[in-house]
């Protein structure tokens, strides 16, 4: 395992903009988590209901069979299986249907035929489900087919689908944000965060398409910061990582390694996952990560060309090696 | 290459020039890479290499996901194989290039390890050695990395990939090690043995699961996504009857379901399929409603829908046959509603013809069988051409109908001709039913008891069947009739019988076999006194006690027990007829008539009892009553009697005009005064114990 530690977690006074973003994210989470938990638990009851999902899958299969050109190959193949009374395929297709705007928008009026009793019951439940979605903060703050105004391209960056989602995004935001803010200034953090989030949403909309299922989370924005560090420090200085190869003292610790390793550890898996998943099936917005990272890389390029100006005099200029003596204890220097 | 490690002893046997060059080793031996460093280097390589490998595999991963979604196993296998080969190729390139350029992978570089050629003249690794080493390294991964354990056991810590490429891994750092010590070798051997044992256990378990796994039919259907195989086979092999249209798949499913040839899960799956793909949606709704067990309201919605789509369709008619009428609280209205419903059912059954859908015919057979309208049921049964999946249902229904119509020989023939096609459970069930009827209705005197012999054979092959009380009861009846149960047989049978009441009954039989009548009677009386504990042996014990009775007064207790028993209970009619028969034998005519009348009230008079009634009434001096019973007997059994009666199965010796042992034929002839019975008696009003035949 290798984990970027960079300059670690600085005090708020040393990285106020980074902490401002942390505060905003936490504020949104605290304001919405109760609603989110309740709505999420209620939504889960529908998603755990086999008859709901199976009927939805059968209905979706009918729509795909009637309009095959509007759907991808994997969905057509799955629909074919679902139409042959394969209950697993129906449930899977039923799950995918929830993300498909075409289906969700026409579900109440479309002539599916088939089991009219089950379809009648399912339609009633789907209405309830959609009402629940309207009260769910993920849907209110997130970027989705229903909520896709310009405002949602920004608000989605501050909403999270659960504590774990928030925790990991904020941890990486603090690590990368503190590093960038201490070396380039708070405006770089703000630009990388907001610009990365926006670029992530745009690339997501372009490559994956805005779906009925909302896009939420700061990961696109954080990817902007990661891209900035990975490409901005490529030739400047080695950065600090924590590593754990074996659980013995000699094989864990701190190492100073090139920043491009961040690209291998964080961005390459996103690219792989994007290439290996189909549009309808993935639940993680890899394209949003890649969009954010691309924005960060552009910022790094702009900075290297002098189009963006460093706000603060970096310790690298004063010390000559690109890393502050405060961040890099003597005993660790040799570890690189 | 040096596959076998060069030992100092062996080296001593080599020519001096070769040995001197080969033993660059002494210099290397003292700075061998520590195993833990090599492990850490591999982990570091993995961290760096895994994302690259994942990227290379991503198109194949996508193909595999798509193949999995479309259920294409072949494409999935190809995608996985291609992905695995690509990953191997990338790994080989990564290793070969790194070894040729830096004599170490990045992970090894971090820990100061280098891969050296074993031979002194080779400073750098040649491309072939590097390539060969990388290839073998990949193969070792496939073998769960077990060959790497040689690092702990080989003298120069060289696993197979080092030996085949003539390389050795050394350390340029302070942490160097020498040859493995004994504890390392022991650890290596132990770990190898443990891993191989685990692999063997897991493989065995998986193979066992594949070979003997208890997959239920429903689970198989779900996993394969196919429809019910039995329905598919029946649909393909279906032979339509004369003038009958080929039924739809859902029609076949409904037919099989009503014939107990498929279960509800199967029907539900077929209904779902038909609903979304078929054109006979009313049948699909009917099937869906019948297969819904968890939600009554939902089931009702489907059944209602079945009648909405077409009027009056087959589904609607089937529903009338299947549904119990909703009766109002008011008694008179309830009775009217009940009669209306019965009329509706009757109308539907009467309206069915040869072109009717087969599932409706099956329902009609069931209905007619319940009504004991066996001749009409037989007409429907005969309309079915041979269908493999329906063979059990049709054969058992035909046999029962024939039996009830007093055509025992044909019933036996029907059963004998079809039983070979039944599975073991069906064979046991049908032979039990048949043996029970043979022994209870015909009695032990009848010579033809093949069903009892089948049951006896089945029990001989599988003694666990004796744990079932009903099978034990029928088996004991059959064996008692065949006089195959001697003292010894009963003694050996007793511990094998699972039911407590059955054991007690066997004990009673044992006493009787020994000639200890009083002891036998005592044990039987215990069984006959407790309905709950004795179960089905309560009836049997009372029947035995009736057999042992020497006078009508000895039968009082048995008669009381019978009177207190609910007529709907299984065996009630059997005991009643047995009791009546015994009274008849003891010439207690009035008691015979009383028991017979109660049997008649509950529609439990069979041919033998009817004859006994006629004889008893006549002997008791109630000629008019005897006449009336004779008339009802003629109608109920739907057979001619007296002078023009055709030979009966029951009386092979008494066929034609020969006198019978109970004098029935003579009495009948006398009552009829030699004339044909049916036209003459149709206008007479006689209180009949046969029910519905006044």
């Amino acid at each position: 395992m290798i984990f970027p530690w960079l300059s670690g977690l600085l005090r708020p006074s040393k990285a106020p903009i980074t902490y401002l973003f942390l505060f905003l994210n936490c504020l949104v989470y605290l304001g919405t988590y109760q609603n989110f938990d309740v709505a999420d638990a209620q939504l889960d009851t529908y998603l755990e209901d086999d008859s709901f999902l199976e009927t939805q899958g059968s209905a979706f299969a009918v729509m795909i069979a009637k309009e095959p050109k509007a759907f991808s190959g994997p969905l057509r193949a799955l629909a074919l299986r679902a139409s042959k009374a394969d209950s697993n395929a129906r449930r899977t297709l039923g799950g995918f249907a929830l993300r498909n705007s075409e289906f969700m928008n026409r579900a109440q009026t479309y002539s599916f035929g088939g089991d009219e009793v089950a379809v009648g019951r399912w339609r009633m439940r789907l209405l309830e489900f959609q009402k629940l979605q309207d009260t769910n903060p993920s849907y209110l703050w997130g970027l989705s087919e229903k909520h896709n105004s310009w405002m949602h391209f920004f608000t989605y960056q501050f909403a999270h689908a659960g504590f774990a989602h928030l925790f990991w995004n904020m941890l990486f935001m603090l690590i990368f944000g503190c590093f960038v803010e201490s070396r380039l200034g708070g405006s770089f953090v703000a630009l990388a965060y907001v610009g990365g989030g926006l670029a992530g949403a745009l690339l997501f909309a372009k490559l994956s398409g805005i779906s009925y299922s909302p896009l939420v989370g700061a990961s696109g924005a954080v990817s902007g910061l990661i891209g900035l560090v990975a490409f901005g420090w490529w030739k400047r200085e080695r950065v600090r990582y924590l590593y754990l190869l074996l659980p013995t003292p000699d094989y864990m610790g701190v190492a100073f390694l090139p920043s491009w390793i961040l690209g291998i550890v964080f961005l390459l898996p996103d690219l792989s996952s994007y290439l290996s998943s189909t549009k309808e099936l993935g639940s993680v917005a890899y394209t949003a990560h890649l969009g954010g990272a691309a924005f960060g890389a552009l910022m790094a390029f702009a900075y290297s060309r002098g189009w963006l100006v460093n706000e603060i005099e970096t310790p690298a200029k004063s010390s000559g090696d690109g890393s502050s003596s405060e961040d890099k204890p003597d005993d660790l220097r040799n570890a690189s | 290459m040096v596959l076998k490690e060069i030992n100092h002893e062996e080296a001593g046997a080599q020519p001096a020039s070769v040995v001197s060059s080969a033993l660059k080793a002494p210099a290397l031996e003292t700075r061998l890479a520590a195993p833990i460093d090599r492990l850490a280097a591999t982990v570091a390589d993995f961290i760096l290499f895994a994302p690259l490998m994942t990227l290379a595999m991503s198109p194949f991963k996508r193909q595999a996901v798509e193949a999995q979604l479309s259920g294409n196993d072949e494409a999935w296998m190809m995608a996985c194989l291609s992905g695995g080969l690509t990953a191997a190729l990338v790994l080989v390139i990564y290793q070969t290039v790194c070894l040729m350029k830096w004599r170490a992978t990045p992970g090894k570089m971090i820990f100061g390890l280098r891969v050296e050629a074993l031979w002194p003249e080779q400073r750098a690794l040649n491309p072939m050695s590097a390539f060969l080493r990388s290839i073998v390294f990949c193969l070792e991964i496939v073998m769960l990395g077990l060959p790497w354990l040689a690092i702990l056991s080989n003298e120069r810590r060289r696993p197979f990939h080092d030996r085949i490429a003539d390389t050795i891994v050394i350390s340029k750092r302070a942490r160097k090690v020498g040859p493995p010590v004994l504890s390392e070798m022991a650890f290596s051997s132990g770990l190898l043995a443990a891993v191989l044992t685990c692999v063997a256990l897991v493989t065995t378990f998986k193979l066992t699961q594949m070979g003997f796994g208890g997959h239920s039919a429903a689970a198989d259907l779900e996993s394969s996504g196919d429809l019910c195989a039995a329905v598919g086979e029946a649909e393909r092999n279906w032979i339509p009857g004369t003038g009958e249209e080929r039924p739809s798949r859902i029609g076949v499913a409904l037919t099989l379901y009503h014939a107990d040839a498929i279960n509800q899960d199967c029907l539900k799956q077929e209904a779902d399929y038909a609903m979304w793909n078929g054109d006979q949606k009313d049948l699909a709704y009917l099937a869906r409603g019948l297969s819904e067990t968890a939600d009554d309201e939902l089931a009702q919605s489907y059944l209602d829908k079945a009648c909405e789509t077409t009027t009056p369709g087959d589904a609607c008619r089937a529903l009338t046959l299947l549904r119990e009428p909703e009766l109002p609280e008011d008694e008179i209205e309830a009775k009217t509603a009940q009669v209306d419903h019965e009329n509706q059912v009757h109308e539907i059954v009467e309206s069915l013809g040869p072109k009717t859908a087969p599932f409706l015919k099956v329902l009609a057979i069931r209905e007619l069988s319940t009504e004991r309208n066996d001749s009409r049921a037989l007409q429907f049964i005969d309309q079915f051409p041979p269908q493999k999946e329906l063979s059990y249902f049709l054969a058992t229904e035909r046999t029962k109908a024939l039996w009830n119509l007093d055509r025992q020989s044909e019933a036996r023939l029907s059963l004998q001709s079809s039983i070979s096609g039944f599975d073991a459970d069906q064979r046991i069930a049908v032979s039990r039913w048949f043996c029970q009827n043979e022994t209870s209705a015909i009695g032990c005197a009848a010579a033809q008891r093949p069903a009892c012999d089948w049951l006896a054979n089945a029990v001989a092959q599988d003694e666990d069947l004796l744990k079932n009380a009903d099978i034990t009861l029928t088996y004991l009846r059959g064996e008692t009739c065949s006089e195959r149960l001697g003292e010894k047989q009963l003694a050996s049978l007793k511990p094998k019988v699972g039911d407590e009441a059955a054991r007690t009954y066997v004990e009673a039989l044992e006493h009787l076999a020994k000639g200890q009548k009083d002891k036998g009677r005592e044990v039987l009386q215990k069984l006959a006194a407790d309905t709950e504990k004795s179960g089905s042996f309560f009836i049997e014990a009372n029947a035995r006690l009736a057999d042992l009775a020497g006078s009508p007064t000895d039968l009082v207790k048995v008669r009381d027990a019978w009177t207190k028993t609910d007529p709907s209970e299984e065996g009630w009619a059997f005991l009643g007829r047995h009791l009546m028969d015994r009274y008849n034998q003891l010439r207690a005519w009035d008691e015979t008539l009383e028991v017979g009348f109660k049997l008649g009230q509950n529609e439990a008079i069979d041919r033998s009892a009817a004859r006994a009634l006629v004889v008893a009434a006549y002997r008791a001096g109630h000629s008019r009553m005897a006449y009336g019973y004779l008339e009802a007997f003629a109608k109920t059994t739907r057979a001619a009697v007296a002078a023009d009666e055709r030979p009966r199965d029951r009386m092979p010796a008494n066929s034609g005009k020969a006198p019978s042992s109970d004098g029935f034929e003579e009495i009948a002839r006398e009552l009829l005064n030699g004339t044909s019975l049916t036209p003459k008696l149709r206008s007479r009003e006689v209180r009949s114990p046969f029910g519905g035949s006044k």
Side-chain angles (χ1 to χ4, degrees), chain A residues 103-121:
Chain A
F103 176 78
M104 293 298 276
N105 290 334
R106 295 160 69 191
Q108 291 297 337
T109 52
Y110 196 84
S111 172
F112 294 112
D115 185 345
E116 287 167 29
V117 173
V119 167
R121 282 188 155 207

Side-chain angles (χ1 to χ4, degrees), chain B residues 259-272:
Chain B
D260 293 332
I262 57 169
N263 59 19
Q264 280 180 318
D265 290 338
C266 189
L267 184 67
K268 187 176 179 186
Q269 196 138 17
E270 290 292 332
D272 279 342

Side-chain angles (χ1 to χ4, degrees), chain B residues 70 99 139 143 151 216 259-260 328 511 533 541 546 551 605 665:
Chain B
S70 57
L99 289 179
L139 291 174
M143 296 160 76
I151 292 171
S216 71
D260 293 332
H511 287 306
K533 276 188 184 173
S551 67
I605 294 281
E665 273 77 12

Side-chain angles (χ1 to χ4, degrees), chain A residues 76-147:
Chain A
R76 287 202 297 270
L78 194 60
L80 194 68
R81 275 177 62 201
S83 68
K84 287 179 183 169
D86 181 338
S87 48
N88 284 333
R90 283 182 186 181
R91 280 195 290 274
T92 312
L93 198 60
F96 293 155
L98 290 172
R99 295 185 207 154
N100 193 285
S101 319
E102 186 71 13
F103 176 78
M104 293 298 276
N105 290 334
R106 295 160 69 191
Q108 291 297 337
T109 52
Y110 196 84
S111 172
F112 294 112
D115 185 345
E116 287 167 29
V117 173
V119 167
R121 282 188 155 207
W122 162 74
R123 277 190 171 134
M124 282 172 64
R125 299 207 73 200
L126 188 65
L127 267 182
E128 294 165 8
F129 182 83
Q130 285 169 324
K131 275 181 193 165
L132 275 176
Q133 283 183 332
D134 290 340
T135 63
N136 190 317
S138 283
Y139 287 81
L140 294 174
W141 287 74
L143 178 65
S144 65
E145 164 82 16
K146 249 183 169 178
H147 302 101

